[in-house]
């Protein structure tokens, strides 16, 4: 009996797909750091029983209507705003993501970004590399303290709670806003639930970890930035579209907030000419929230396992 066909939209280490090798014939897009072209994805999907996808791959009605043998899509991410889940359900396609395995690594990066932005770490490193360090000054590259400040977390899911645990170690007061109260965060960490405006007004660090939805699109806009302290630092490690980037730029240029640390952008990848990148008070990273060898490999294995389970008639481990 011929094995079902699975298409993987980036070049991944074959050893991380071992659980899938016996269940399917696997083909991969040949490049690791470039998205699979839309035309190629559409063509491969026509005969695929499974797709292992990235956030850059749109799984929409156009693709699903042509993918008549498709049974499962496994997204190499926790977020799945690139997938039309309702359309997939209509076509009886199971969709999966990778929750849990990347929580701690993403929290590490989020807090590292907060610290880098507050203490001007990248700027200070560049200062030496550019040969600009010619002497010591009492306010040379002075940043902002992190310890005992107030952190406001927007989106108190598993990653939000993990960031809050790190904040607690720095003696920070923890505020949060979420669609629903997190009894776990309140009991374990002493986190205090507030309204969104209250969080903006009271926080020294505003950390965005909310998923992208119709309600959160451009949640951080001019009105939001104007509510923040002028000394506040904004951190985004969720989705770029949650932020109105033009409004963030204006807030930074007009010194309505102190700085920003950004791991995500509305359109990715961005160029060195992106307006936000030109600002010294912006610490910008290329969407590396979960980018450790251990975590990315675990995500790959989970995607492969989910596809293998569904093709074998079993429930996926992390079905949406």
């Amino acid at each position: 009996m011929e094995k079902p066909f699975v298409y993987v939209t980036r070049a991944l280490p074959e050893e991380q797909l071992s659980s899938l090798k016996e269940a399917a014939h696997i083909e991969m897009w040949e490049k690791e750091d470039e998205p699979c072209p839309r035309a190629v994805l559409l063509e491969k999907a026509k005969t695929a029983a499974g797709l292992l996808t990235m956030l850059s791959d749109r799984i929409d009605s156009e693709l699903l209507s042509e993918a008549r043998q498709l049974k499962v899509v496994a997204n190499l991410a926790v977020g799945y705003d690139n997938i039309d889940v309702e359309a997939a359900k209509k076509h009886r396609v199971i969709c999966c993501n990778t929750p849990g395995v990347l929580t701690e690594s993403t929290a590490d990066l989020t807090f590292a970004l907060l610290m880098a932005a507050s203490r001007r770490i990248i700027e200070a490193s560049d200062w030496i590399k550019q040969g600009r360090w010619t002497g010591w000054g009492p306010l040379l590259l002075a940043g902002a303290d992190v310890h005992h400040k107030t952190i406001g977390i927007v989106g108190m899911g598993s990653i939000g709670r993990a960031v809050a645990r790190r904040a607690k170690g720095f003696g920070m007061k923890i505020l949060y806003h979420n669609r629903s109260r997190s009894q776990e965060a309140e009991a374990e960490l002493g986190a205090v639930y507030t309204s969104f405006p209250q969080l903006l007004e009271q926080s020294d660090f505003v950390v965005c970890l909310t998923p992208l939805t119709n309600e959160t699109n451009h949640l951080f806009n001019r009105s939001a930035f104007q509510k923040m302290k002028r000394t506040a630092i904004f951190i985004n490690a969720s989705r770029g579209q949650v932020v109105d980037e033009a409004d963030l730029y204006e807030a930074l240029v007009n010194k309505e907030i102190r700085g920003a640390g950004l791991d995500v952008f509305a359109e990715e990848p961005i160029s060195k000419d992106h307006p936000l990148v030109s600002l010294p008070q912006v610490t910008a990273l290329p969407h590396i929230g979960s980018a450790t060898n251990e975590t990315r490999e675990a995500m790959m294995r989970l995607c492969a396992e989910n596809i293998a389970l569904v093709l074998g008639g079993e429930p996926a481990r992390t079905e949406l």
Side-chain angles (χ1 to χ4, degrees):
M1 183 176 176
E2 187 176 351
K3 292 181 179 180
F5 170 53
V6 171
Y7 189 66
V8 182
T9 64
R10 292 290 174 96
L12 302 181
E14 290 192 12
E15 58 267 27
Q16 308 308 331
L17 307 180
S18 58
S19 64
L20 188 54
K21 285 182 179 178
E22 292 186 9
H25 166 66
I26 303 170
E27 184 179 332
M28 287 188 270
W29 173 240
E30 66 266 24
K31 297 181 180 180
E32 178 187 346
D33 57 353
E34 290 184 22
C36 174
R38 175 73 173 175
V40 173
L41 177 58
L42 289 173
E43 187 61 31
K44 297 297 182 182
K46 289 179 181 178
T47 55
L51 293 174
L52 198 164
T53 57
M54 313 294 135
L55 283 171
S56 54
D57 305 313
R58 258 187 311 116
I59 307 300
D60 53 15
S61 294
E62 179 190 21
L63 181 147
L64 292 162
S65 63
E66 296 293 325
R68 306 202 175 169
Q69 299 179 51
L70 190 61
K71 294 181 179 179
V72 57
V73 175
N75 212 39
L76 194 79
V78 171
Y80 49 91
D81 41 275
N82 58 312
I83 300 176
D84 188 334
V85 177
E86 291 307 311
K89 288 179 180 178
K90 290 178 183 177
H91 288 273
R92 297 182 179 178
V93 174
I94 292 170
C95 298
C96 314
N97 63 344
T98 58
V101 294
L102 52 69
T103 297
E104 298 298 333
S105 297
T106 304
D108 282 348
L109 187 282
T110 302
F111 207 80
L113 184 55
L114 181 154
M115 294 190 69
S118 63
R119 294 302 305 271
R120 303 171 67 178
I121 299 296
I122 306 299
E123 194 179 350
S125 177
D126 288 344
W127 193 268
I128 291 179
K129 293 180 180 181
Q130 295 163 4
R132 299 172 66 187
W133 190 24
T134 58
W136 182 88
L139 291 176
L140 176 66
L141 293 163
D145 279 336
V146 174
H147 61 86
H148 300 104
K149 293 291 186 72
T150 298
I151 185 172
I153 299 173
V154 181
M156 190 59 93
S158 59
I159 297 172
R161 292 193 300 274
V163 170
R165 286 195 293 273
R166 286 151 179 79
K168 187 175 182 181
F170 280 74
M172 301 181 83
K173 179 180 179 181
I174 303 166
L175 306 180
Y176 78 98
H177 180 72
N178 207 45
R179 285 178 296 183
S180 57
R181 298 278 291 267
S182 173
Q183 302 298 333
E184 181 179 348
E186 293 178 19
E188 177 191 355
L189 303 164
V192 177
Y193 177 84
T194 69
S195 68
F196 184 57
Q198 287 176 320
L199 181 145
L200 297 176
E201 292 165 3
Q202 297 175 25
S203 299
D204 298 300
F205 297 92
V206 176
V207 180
C208 176
L209 291 166
T210 186
L212 176 63
T213 65
N214 290 334
E215 291 74 27
T216 62
N217 186 60
H218 283 191
L219 175 66
F220 288 93
N221 52 26
R222 184 161 184 75
S223 174
F225 293 123
Q226 288 180 333
K227 288 182 175 67
M228 293 185 195
K229 297 179 180 181
R230 295 184 74 86
T231 54
I233 293 175
F234 173 68
I235 306 296
N236 188 13
S238 60
R239 288 291 179 269
Q241 296 92 331
V242 175
V243 179
D244 186 317
E245 292 181 343
D247 288 353
L248 174 57
Y249 178 84
E250 290 300 318
L252 289 162
V253 168
N254 295 332
K255 297 184 178 179
E256 293 170 346
I257 63 174
R258 180 170 185 159
L262 309 171
D263 186 43
V264 290
F265 296 85
E267 298 291 337
E268 296 177 352
I270 62 167
S271 75
K272 62 182 178 61
D273 300 318
H274 190 288
L276 287 167
V277 176
S278 69
L279 301 178
Q281 65 270 48
V282 172
T283 302
L285 301 178
H287 203 151
I288 57 170
S290 61
T292 68
N293 288 326
E294 298 92 335
T295 293
R296 288 287 169 86
E297 289 171 1
M299 292 166 68
M300 295 171 196
R301 291 193 296 271
L302 178 55
C303 283
E305 184 180 352
N306 276 330
I307 294 173
L309 285 168
V310 173
L311 295 183
E314 300 292 331
R317 278 180 55 194
T318 56
E319 181 177 349
L320 296 175

